[in-house]
Amino acid sequence: MPNANEDKLSALSQVQHRAVSELLRVAPVADDLARRFEEAGFSLALVGGSVRDALLGRLGNDLDFTTDARPEDVLKIIRPWADAVWEVGIAFGTVAAQKEARVGDADRSFQIEVTTYRSEAYDRTSRKPEVSYGDNIEQDLVRRDFTVNAMAVALPEKEFIDPHGGLEDLAARVLRTPGTPEESFSDDPLRMMRAARFAAQLDFEVAPDVITAMTEMAGRLEIVSAERVRDELNKLILSAHPRKGLTLLVDTGLAEHVLPELPALRLESDEHHRHKDVYEHTLIVLEQAIALEEEGPDLTLRLAALLHDIGKPRTRRFEDDGRVSFHHHEVVGAKMTKKRMTALKYSNELVKDVSRLVELHLRFHGYGTGEWTDSAVRRYVRDAGPLLDRLHKLTRSDCTTRNKRRAAALSRAYDGLEERIDELKEQEELDAIRPDLDGNQIMEILGVGPGPAVGKAYKHLLELRLENGPMGYDAAVAALREWWAKEWLRTCSGVMFHVKHDPARIR
């Protein structure tokens, strides 16, 4: 039987073998760039996530380099070589570029970042790091967030540099910091969120001392900008194992400063008022939604799954019969979702879409055993709009009951609803429900110009379309004229009423 040391050596051998294979794949680009830096009198090394991913056998086309060259020198070297160059991060010592290259039998596009050796730290109130440049790679690596990201490969000689034992930690699948966790997180508090993100992305464990520091220093996250927090949260949510990262955020208290609505779902229960663990339910819904994704990670769907029940704590009521109710939690939750996502600086479109899904996630439960009218089905489709496919996935994911009979009944009912939607789509173009007459036709038939009356007429015809399905041109014209006659009488009656009670209005 192999002992622990033999297992460890075997694991190290495997990651080193993968690294050689991955580095050989990108060598044409990396070596070419390294020679240019060498000719200019500077050093260049592949670093951080690129080395880690090479060791894991998952190196992509995003390559991170570090150098002793200052940003202005990097620009001089890289401009004649790259196909495109960006200076967005140059204030922090980073120059980005794109390079098209032939690797093997295929043309590939590489996204490259070259960063000058540096050290950075936050003070107690600043939201931006203070950057100072370093003179050697060891100084650069010690400032990195975790040991598995504090490895480098000097180019073009391919010398492996690992002063903090990152290779062993990678083989053990554990996240540690190069220095003390307190020093690392004081330099950049966002690293606490990165610990949760890497745990979720890589399925690694976080070292106990790192978890302790995260718990004790969670409040330091307040100095980090909302945009940086949002971006880190997105990477976590879009990872392969988001439950792992989210659980870590909640357990360390970091979630209180990022997404406080999530830990609030851990509702207390007692022997008299037992109910589902909403927090655990939410994580299961997220996992089930992920299982239904068809074209890769879907941020809109995952956020909706994560936030769909955040209105429950505010709407929880203990009924006289001992049951627990959460009436209108979907409406309250949609408002809370909009507020939280806006605070995290999400785009208006994403805020709108996720909030809408949260608001609609219970709508199906009014379907029951299939007694919805065609009108109700049309409204369901109209209200979901382009989010219908995601609403299907969210609604199906929201079933976490352990009662197999109930779960099967819910699944059959939703199958039935989707079948009816498909049938109506074949008949009526449900994806673009609109009145049988457009605005121009309404104005022509009524003999009016643009104004509120046209909008009212359009809304009336839309309601008829939803209620009755396609009407045809003649029936729509007749319905419009009938509505207009009633609207004209109502308007005239209103004017006469005001004249009678306030003659001055006639002047």
Side-chain angles (χ1 to χ4, degrees), residues 238-344:
L238 291 172
S239 70
H241 309 278
R243 171 194 272 264
K244 191 166 192 172
L246 292 167
T247 300
L248 190 56
L249 289 183
V250 171
D251 291 347
T252 58
L254 284 165
E256 296 286 354
H257 306 278
V258 179
L259 199 64
E261 295 81 5
L262 184 60
L265 295 177
R266 296 186 296 184
L267 302 173
E268 306 88 357
S269 58
D270 57 47
E271 58 182 345
H272 302 296
H273 300 108
R274 289 179 296 175
H275 56 271
K276 279 185 180 179
D277 182 334
V278 184
Y279 171 67
E280 177 64 20
H281 164 78
T282 294
L283 295 179
I284 294 173
V285 171
L286 174 60
E287 290 178 321
Q288 293 185 164
I290 290 171
L292 294 176
E293 290 175 338
E294 299 167 326
E295 299 179 1
D298 183 340
L299 182 61
T300 304
L301 176 63
R302 294 191 182 195
L303 282 169
L306 185 62
L307 301 173
H308 78 283
D309 271 350
I310 63 171
K312 279 191 170 179
R314 290 191 183 179
T315 58
R316 183 175 57 159
R317 296 290 182 271
F318 297 113
E319 306 295 349
D320 293 339
D321 60 3
R323 293 182 302 108
V324 179
S325 67
F326 305 99
H327 295 308
H328 305 302
H329 76 267
E330 73 280 14
V331 177
V332 173
K335 293 178 181 178
M336 293 172 65
T337 295
K338 181 178 180 181
K339 183 177 180 180
R340 176 55 53 197
M341 290 185 65
T342 300
L344 287 171

Side-chain angles (χ1 to χ4, degrees), residues 352-353 356-357 359-360 363 372-389 391-392 414 417 420-422 424-425 428-435 455 458-469:
K352 180 181 177 183
D353 286 350
R356 188 63 169 157
L357 285 169
E359 183 180 4
L360 294 174
R363 182 74 67 85
W372 274 10
T373 63
D374 285 352
S375 170
V377 174
R378 292 187 195 102
R379 292 176 191 277
Y380 188 81
V381 174
R382 190 274 307 268
D383 291 346
L387 299 171
L388 182 62
D389 185 58
L391 182 59
H392 287 332
Y414 207 84
L417 175 57
R420 289 188 62 190
I421 289 173
D422 289 339
L424 282 174
K425 278 186 175 181
E428 303 182 12
E429 298 183 12
L430 279 189
D431 291 330
I433 295 177
R434 54 178 60 89
Y458 188 92
K459 185 176 181 180
H460 174 72
L461 291 175
L462 178 59
E463 286 298 316
L464 291 178
R465 169 70 173 80
L466 288 167
E467 191 66 33
N468 305 314

Side-chain angles (χ1 to χ4, degrees), residues 360-432:
L360 294 174
H361 83 271
L362 282 185
R363 182 74 67 85
F364 158 73
H365 294 283
Y367 186 71
T369 57
E371 66 272 14
W372 274 10
T373 63
D374 285 352
S375 170
V377 174
R378 292 187 195 102
R379 292 176 191 277
Y380 188 81
V381 174
R382 190 274 307 268
D383 291 346
L387 299 171
L388 182 62
D389 185 58
R390 289 186 173 109
L391 182 59
H392 287 332
K393 293 182 174 69
L394 178 60
T395 303
R396 288 185 179 277
S397 302
D398 196 23
C399 176
T400 61
T401 179
R402 295 179 183 177
N403 185 319
K404 292 183 178 180
R405 182 177 299 177
R406 174 169 167 74
L410 286 169
S411 180
R412 285 195 302 271
Y414 207 84
D415 288 343
L417 175 57
E418 289 199 57
E419 288 171 6
R420 289 188 62 190
I421 289 173
D422 289 339
E423 290 170 1
L424 282 174
K425 278 186 175 181
E426 289 182 10
Q427 302 168 20
E428 303 182 12
E429 298 183 12
L430 279 189
D431 291 330

Side-chain angles (χ1 to χ4, degrees), residues 148-161:
V148 296
N149 296 330
M151 298 179 285
V153 176
L155 301 171
E157 61 271 22
K158 307 291 192 302
E159 177 192 352
F160 183 60
I161 304 170

Side-chain angles (χ1 to χ4, degrees), residues 33-43 67-70 73-74 76-78:
L33 184 59
R35 280 191 292 270
R36 292 173 180 271
F37 273 79
E38 192 174 47
E39 290 169 0
F42 299 108
S43 301
T67 180
D68 56 346
R70 295 302 190 252
D73 295 315
V74 174
K76 291 178 184 177
I77 297 169
I78 211 167

